DNA sequence: GCAATCGTCAACCGATTGGTTGAATATAAG
DNA sequence: CTTATATTCAACCAATCGGTTGACGATTGC
């Protein structure tokens, strides 16, 4: 809910939390299922999920006795843009760029059959 | 020197360190000058610079009794790319996109005199 | 040579972090 | 109603963090 650069970067600084985010990239998950692959207590995972929630990186919705975790990738936007300010490294990757152009703007150049 | 996602994100999670990086965006600086605008001891800044160095985000070169700090934006690359993997958020934002096109590719549209 | 400048080191401090355990709360299922 | 499941809470712990201070080691300038 804070969703400042501080909270987002801090949340991303932990490998467990990054792994959780990547799992949620595939699908929404219940807390128990998020915890499953990790060798650590459920309570610990619950705390990690709180950190991610505070950073705005996920939202949690309780349906019945199960709390579903949903990825909120938009919360990375500000952090990503901040980094791009140092953008000597390619802003997105030219391939993605061209793909975007072709798809969204119809720059009929189609270099690939 | 570690330059893992862990160290980079952790380094970026502190506002003082982010401010330092932005200062170095303009020019290389001596440690004392980096410390100047902050209301905190030189030793504290020295520690922050160590954290940034360990993350690979800056390098420090001693010339005479002055130690120069230099930004190393490439160290952000891996972290930036990792974030882009969640790229549901627009690749950069259409404005930034156009800006990119104009600046980098010279899409001579110059909407602003 | 001596004093000033640049920067780090070491010891310390309180706050935060990442983890544990065990008890507690809802909700669901039999 | 009773039991099992899903999740959190509270207390605790060791380790790390961000900061301070004071002493110290280089380097420079007079």
């Amino acid at each position: 809910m804070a969703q400042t650069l501080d909270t987002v970067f801090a949340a991303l600084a932990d490998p467990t939390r990054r792994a959780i985010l990547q799992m949620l990239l595939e699908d929404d998950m219940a807390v128990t299922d998020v915890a499953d692959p990790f060798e650590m207590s459920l309570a610990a995972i619950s705390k990690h999920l709180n950190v991610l929630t505070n950073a705005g990186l996920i939202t949690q919705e309780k349906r019945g006795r199960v709390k579903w975790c949903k990825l909120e990738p938009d919360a990375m936007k500000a952090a990503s843009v901040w980094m791009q300010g140092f953008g000597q490294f390619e802003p997105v990757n030219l391939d993605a760029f061209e793909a975007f152009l072709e798809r969204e703007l119809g720059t009929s150049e189609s270099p690939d059959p």
Side-chain angles (χ1 to χ4, degrees), chain A:
Chain A
M1 290 244 174
Q3 211 189 142
T4 61
L5 289 179
D6 281 50
T7 57
V8 169
F9 279 131
L12 296 181
D14 184 278
T16 302
R17 288 192 292 259
R18 286 198 306 276
I20 291 175
L21 291 177
Q22 286 188 302
M23 290 165 59
L24 292 177
L25 203 44
E26 310 221 359
D27 210 350
D28 296 0
M29 294 178 80
V31 173
T32 310
D33 296 332
V34 169
D36 215 49
F38 298 98
E39 284 179 343
M40 110 183 32
S41 71
L42 192 55
I45 296 293
S46 185
K47 283 188 185 182
H48 280 305
L49 292 173
N50 275 338
V51 173
L52 291 172
T53 301
N54 283 335
L57 290 163
I58 67 170
T59 50
Q60 292 174 281
E61 183 197 354
K62 196 167 185 177
R63 277 203 298 272
R65 67 181 161 183
V66 169
K67 204 168 182 182
W68 292 91
C69 304
K70 177 174 166 43
L71 184 64
E72 298 290 349
D74 276 4
M76 288 184 204
K77 195 170 173 178
S80 184
V81 167
W82 187 88
M83 279 186 157
Q84 307 275 335
F86 293 83
Q88 277 65 332
F89 46 93
E90 49 285 32
V92 160
N93 166 359
L94 279 183
D95 293 0
F97 234 61
E98 288 180 328
F100 172 85
L101 287 178
E102 286 160 16
R103 214 177 309 133
E104 296 290 328
L105 303 176
T107 309
S108 46
E109 291 244 328
S110 54
D112 214 339

